[in-house]
């Protein structure tokens, strides 16, 4: 008989030693096959469940009955520490433990309590959760594979877009190269023709001169012939001089665009792949951002908002002309439109004059695409021009059916107010993506930021905000903005509106030849007048990088304000 063998409990009562073959889970006793049938024949025991002795032995953990510290057989159980202890541990480390008993008493208590039932429920619950997680992770594998394919498509699409853009600018550059080459070639060929003709004339005059020198005659005929040859020589000399002067040796040089080397040096990757962890108990982004009790008011932030004058734009001496609109470029430079002078004027971030660029028409509004490119609308020409301010060159002209007024740029797209059509959305290549069917008959200015469009209506005296599908989110109308004109947004969505002939909220009477700048909360729920000044305003724009406003007037003046 082996030490690990279990004896039949009924046989032992008959003073017989027999190896048990089955274990009763209810009685916690072993039975041989004969006694097991006798045990089940009793009506009280018919519901008892049996398992094999081998399975019972696997379920037990005899090693846990050995003290881990002293390697003695444990006879006690400490409920406070939930561990079995030997006779040495008992007085040493468990002297103060109140819940202390023998293993036999602990086992008997466990049988009589509901702990095992609760433990069974816990095991079932965990098993159920494990199955749910297996299903979830299996679905996760499928969705992640789908997402991988989608990202691959996005990367391919991005590469194709870059290729298309590079192919386009390459073709334009090659066409420019061909035109320049043909022009220079023609000039040099014309010069060569002139020189070749003069060379022949010089040879002819040389031969005639030799013949005159060999002639002994001193007749008037020879004298007149000599004068004629001199006159011809002077004509050819002048022609040769002009040809040489006008066709100096030339060469063709490729001058790279300013941002090209930066792009080559700095763009070392398309992006990076991030792993976003999430669980079923976490809220979705929509749930996290959705307010519990309606839109959250930004009144508190508006109360602290104020502006302070920092500096004025320094116009060149003698420069005249009113400013219609302005935009900040990403490098902090300001670009103003001057319709009267048919030009746009560039100032640095401190307000000092940089350059002026003549445009083919009266510019209305302007939007910055990047640090060297702007988009300009022309109301009377029904067009939009993409202009490189570095090379002062028009790269694209986009024609519309009706007047093009306010314009703004956001996330690779231009948003343009087109009279009688709506708000046109197009990319920087001039491809029209869609037109939002909004009534813009009296809308002249708009600003895009944070996936929203805000615009002013001078007739209804309203400021409206819509999403990129054209759905109106809110409309603002108060006496503080009597005649809304220019509009701009900061990085958190606060709307700054310029209103002329603003109504004094205290006296409720119009203030002639004055204007105010009103800040409206992103949800349109509240507002604050942040600036009041006399004058005739024309527009306002916000510099997100340096957190400042530029205000400009019809008299051509412009001032920079810090937003604090």
């Amino acid at each position: 008989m082996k030490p690990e063998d279990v004896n039949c409990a009924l046989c032992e009562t008959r003073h017989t030693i027999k190896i048990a073959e089955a274990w009763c889970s209810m009685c916690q006793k072993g039975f041989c096959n004969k006694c097991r049938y006798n045990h089940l024949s009793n009506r009280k025991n018919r519901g008892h469940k049996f398992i094999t002795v081998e399975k019972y032995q696997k379920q037990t953990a005899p090693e846990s009955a050995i003290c881990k510290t002293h390697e003695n057989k444990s006879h006690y159980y400490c409920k406070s520490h939930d561990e079995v202890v030997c006779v040495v541990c008992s007085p040493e480390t468990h002297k103060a433990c109140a819940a202390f008993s023998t293993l036999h008493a602990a086992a008997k208590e466990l049988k009589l309590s509901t702990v095992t039932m609760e433990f069974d429920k816990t095991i079932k619950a965990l098993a159920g959760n494990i199955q749910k997680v297996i299903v979830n992770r299996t679905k996760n594998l499928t969705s992640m594979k789908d997402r991988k394919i989608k990202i691959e498509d996005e990367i391919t699409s991005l590469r194709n877009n870059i290729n298309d853009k590079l192919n386009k600018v390459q073709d334009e550059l090659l066409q420019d190269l061909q035109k320049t080459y043909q022009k220079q070639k023609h000039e040099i060929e014309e010069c060569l023709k002139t020189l070749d003709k003069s060379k022949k004339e010089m040879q002819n005059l040389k031969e005639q001169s030799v013949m005159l020198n060999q002639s002994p005659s001193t007749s008037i005929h020879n004298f007149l012939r000599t004068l004629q040859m001199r006159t011809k020589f002077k004509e050819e000399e002048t022609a040769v001089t002009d040809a040489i002067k006008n066709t100096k040796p030339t060469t063709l040089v490729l001058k790279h665009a300013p941002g090209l080397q930066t792009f080559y040096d700095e763009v070392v990757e398309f992006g990076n792949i991030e792993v976003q962890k999430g669980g079923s108990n976490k809220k979705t982004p929509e749930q996290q951002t959705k307010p519990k009790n309606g839109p959250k008011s930004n009144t508190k932030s508006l109360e602290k908002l104020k502006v302070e004058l920092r500096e004025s734009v320094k116009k060149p001496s003698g420069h005249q002309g009113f400013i219609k609109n302005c935009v900040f470029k990403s490098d902090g430079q300001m670009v103003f439109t001057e319709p009267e002078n048919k030009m746009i004027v560039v100032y640095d971030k401190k307000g000092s004059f940089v350059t002026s660029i003549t445009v083919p028409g009266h510019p209305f509004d302007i939007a910055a695409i990047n640090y060297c490119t702007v988009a300009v609308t022309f109301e009377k020409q029904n067009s939009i021009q993409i202009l490189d301010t570095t090379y002062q060159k028009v790269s694209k002209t986009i024609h519309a059916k009706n007047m093009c007024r306010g314009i703004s740029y956001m996330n690779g797209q231009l948003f343009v107010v087109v009279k009688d059509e709506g708000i046109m959305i197009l990319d920087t290549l001039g491809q029209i993506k869609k037109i939002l069917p909004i009534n813009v008959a009296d809308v002249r200015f708009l600003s895009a930021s944070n996936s929203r469009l805000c615009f002013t209506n001078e007739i209804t005296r309203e400021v409206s905000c819509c999403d990129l599908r054209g759905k109106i989110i809110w409309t603002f109308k108060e006496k503080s903005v009597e005649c809304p004109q220019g509009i701009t947004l900061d990085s958190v969505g606060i709307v700054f509106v310029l209103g002329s002939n603003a109504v004094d909220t205290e006296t409720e009477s119009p203030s002639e030849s004055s204007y105010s700048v009103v800040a409206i909360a992103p949800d349109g729920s509240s507002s604050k007048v942040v600036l009041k000044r006399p004058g005739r305003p024309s527009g306002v724009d916000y510099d997100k990088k340096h957190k400042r406003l530029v205000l400009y007037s019809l008299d051509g003046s412009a001032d920079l304000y810090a937003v604090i």
Side-chain angles (χ1 to χ4, degrees):
M1 183 175 179
K2 298 178 183 179
E4 61 271 20
D5 286 340
V6 177
N7 295 332
C8 175
L10 286 180
C11 290
E12 284 185 338
T13 60
R14 303 186 190 103
H15 306 288
T16 303
I17 303 299
K18 196 172 183 179
I19 303 300
E21 296 169 286
W23 181 265
C24 178
S25 300
M26 301 297 290
C27 299
Q28 291 294 299
K29 293 180 181 180
F31 296 89
C32 64
N33 284 333
K34 183 179 180 181
C35 293
R36 180 180 65 162
Y37 292 122
N38 293 333
H39 183 69
L40 289 174
S41 63
N42 189 326
R43 184 178 296 178
K44 295 180 179 179
N45 302 332
R46 288 178 182 176
H48 288 198
K49 302 294 182 183
F50 280 86
I51 60 174
T52 64
V53 172
E54 290 79 7
K55 190 173 183 180
Y56 159 71
Q57 289 174 334
K58 288 180 181 180
Q59 290 178 350
T60 59
E63 66 274 5
S64 63
I66 302 300
C67 177
K68 296 179 181 179
T69 306
H70 304 99
E71 297 184 354
N72 295 326
K73 191 172 182 179
S74 300
H75 294 280
Y76 300 98
Y77 170 71
C78 179
K79 192 173 183 180
S80 301
H81 293 88
D82 194 27
E83 64 179 3
V84 292
V85 295
C86 67
V87 292
V88 180
C89 293
S90 177
E92 284 184 358
T93 57
H94 300 273
K95 189 175 182 179
C97 297
F100 202 82
S101 64
T102 64
L103 282 178
H104 181 75
K108 188 175 182 180
E109 182 183 353
L110 177 65
K111 182 180 179 181
L112 298 175
S113 68
T114 59
V115 174
T116 54
M117 297 177 62
E118 294 296 328
F119 187 56
D120 286 342
K121 291 181 180 179
T122 304
I123 292 174
K124 290 179 180 178
L126 179 59
N129 287 337
I130 291 173
Q131 182 59 32
K132 289 180 181 179
V133 172
I134 290 173
V135 173
N136 178 269
R137 296 302 182 269
T138 304
K139 291 181 179 179
N140 188 201
L141 278 175
T142 303
S143 64
M144 190 168 61
K145 184 178 179 180
D146 295 339
R147 184 59 186 157
K148 174 180 172 289
I149 296 172
K150 187 174 181 180
I151 291 175
E152 288 174 348
D153 293 339
E154 289 177 3
I155 293 172
T156 303
S157 176
L158 174 62
R159 177 60 185 269
N160 291 337
N161 290 337
I162 293 174
N163 288 344
D164 292 342
K165 177 66 175 179
L166 292 177
N167 288 337
K168 182 177 182 299
V169 296
Q170 175 185 304
D171 291 342
E172 291 175 352
L173 183 59
L174 290 175
Q175 291 174 9
D176 187 32
L177 173 63
Q178 182 64 19
K179 289 179 182 179
T180 305
Y181 168 73
Q182 290 295 342
K183 180 181 178 182
Q184 296 301 317
K185 178 185 174 185
H186 176 73
E187 291 178 357
I188 294 174
E189 288 176 344
E190 290 299 316
C191 175
L192 290 173
K193 288 180 182 179
T194 301
L195 294 175
D196 188 56
K197 178 177 175 294
S198 298
K199 179 181 177 182
K200 292 178 180 179
E201 289 294 338
M202 290 300 102
Q203 184 64 31
N204 187 30
L205 289 175
K206 182 179 179 181
E207 292 174 357
Q208 293 182 32
S209 177
V210 171
M211 291 176 62
L212 286 175
N213 289 334
Q214 292 176 352
S215 175
S217 175
T218 58
S219 64
I220 294 175
H221 174 75
N222 287 347
F223 175 73
L224 294 175
R225 184 62 179 165
T226 301
L227 290 178
Q228 185 180 11
M229 289 171 60
R230 289 177 180 174
T231 303
K232 184 65 175 175
F233 175 79
K234 289 180 179 180
E235 291 176 356
E236 293 301 326
E237 184 182 30
T238 302
V240 170
T241 303
D242 290 343
I244 295 174
K245 182 179 179 181
N246 294 331
T247 56
K248 293 180 180 180
T250 59
T251 185
L252 299 177
V253 178
L254 174 61
K255 188 175 181 181
H256 293 262
L260 190 61
Q261 189 62 42
T262 303
F263 175 84
Y264 181 79
D265 293 338
E266 294 183 359
V267 179
V268 295
E269 58 184 8
F270 273 171
N272 56 74
I273 306 301
E274 295 181 351
V275 177
Q276 295 182 348
K277 298 289 186 180
S280 60
N281 60 332
K282 292 187 177 182
K283 293 182 179 180
T284 63
E286 292 81 9
Q287 291 172 329
Q288 291 174 346
T289 56
K290 185 178 180 181
K292 294 181 179 179
N293 297 310
K296 186 178 179 180
S297 175
N298 297 79
T299 305
K300 189 173 181 180
S301 60
L302 288 182
E303 289 176 355
K304 298 179 180 180
L305 186 68
K306 61 179 180 178
V307 298
E308 290 183 358
L309 179 63
R310 287 291 186 258
E311 51 199 336
S312 298
V313 173
K314 308 169 188 66
K315 299 189 70 174
S317 178
H319 185 85
Q320 300 294 327
F322 73 89
I323 299 171
K324 184 67 176 178
N325 279 297
C326 171
V327 70
F328 281 101
K329 296 197 297 178
S330 58
D331 59 0
Q333 285 190 337
M334 296 168 283
V335 187
F336 295 90
T337 61
E338 295 187 0
E340 187 179 4
N341 297 326
K342 292 186 178 180
M343 66 170 56
I344 62 174
V345 186
V346 182
Y347 292 83
D348 65 20
K349 62 183 180 181
K350 293 184 178 180
S352 298
F353 176 80
V354 176
T355 187
S356 60
I357 304 171
T358 302
V359 292
H362 302 281
F364 183 87
D365 200 2
I366 187 169
I369 297 175
N370 54 46
Y371 76 97
C372 65
T373 310
V374 296
V376 185
T377 56
F378 296 87
E379 187 177 24
K380 295 182 179 179
Q381 286 91 340
N382 299 349
S383 64
I384 307 144
Q385 286 192 346
I386 310 298
L387 177 67
D388 188 317
T389 57
T390 303
Y391 291 103
Q392 302 188 9
K393 178 183 176 181
V394 175
S395 61
K396 185 74 176 181
T397 299
I398 306 153
H399 296 282
K401 296 180 181 179
N402 295 293
M403 293 181 179
C404 298
R405 292 173 172 168
I407 186 171
S408 188
Y409 174 83
M410 178 177 64
N411 298 334
Q413 294 182 317
L414 290 167
F415 301 83
V416 187
V417 175
V418 181
K419 187 179 179 182
D420 299 330
E421 290 188 45
I423 297 178
M424 179 187 293
I425 304 177
L426 60 159
D427 60 25
T428 54
L429 297 178
Q431 299 295 321
I432 299 175
K433 299 299 182 181
K434 64 191 298 187
I435 297 179
L436 304 181
I438 297 175
N439 183 5
V440 294
D442 301 310
V443 174
R444 299 174 68 84
F445 305 99
L446 90 160
S447 183
S449 183
N450 301 318
S451 299
R452 292 186 177 187
L453 304 176
C454 293
F455 49 90
T456 59
N457 189 311
E458 293 180 330
I459 303 301
T460 62
R461 299 178 178 181
E462 294 176 338
V463 180
S464 299
C465 176
C466 72
D467 60 21
L468 298 185
R469 295 173 296 178
K471 182 181 179 180
I472 299 298
I473 301 172
W474 53 260
T475 298
F476 178 89
K477 184 176 182 180
E478 281 191 6
K479 292 181 180 180
S480 58
V481 187
E482 181 64 17
C483 186
Q485 294 184 21
I487 187 170
T488 186
L489 284 81
D490 72 358
S491 56
V492 298
I494 294 178
V495 185
F496 293 93
V497 181
L498 178 69
S500 62
N501 293 328
V503 170
D504 192 319
T505 55
E506 295 180 0
T507 62
E508 296 188 356
S509 59
S511 177
E512 298 295 336
S513 299
S514 66
Y515 68 88
S516 64
V517 177
V518 179
I520 304 174
D523 58 8
S525 62
S526 58
S527 66
K528 177 185 178 181
V529 177
V530 295
L531 180 67
K532 281 187 179 182
R533 279 185 51 174
R536 300 178 62 196
S538 57
V540 60
D541 195 59
Y542 184 80
D543 182 2
K544 294 180 180 178
K545 184 176 181 180
H546 299 96
K547 295 182 180 180
R548 57 182 183 164
L549 286 171
V550 60
L551 304 178
Y552 38 96
S553 303
L554 294 176
D555 60 6
S557 64
D559 297 307
L560 292 166
Y561 289 83
V563 180
I564 54 180

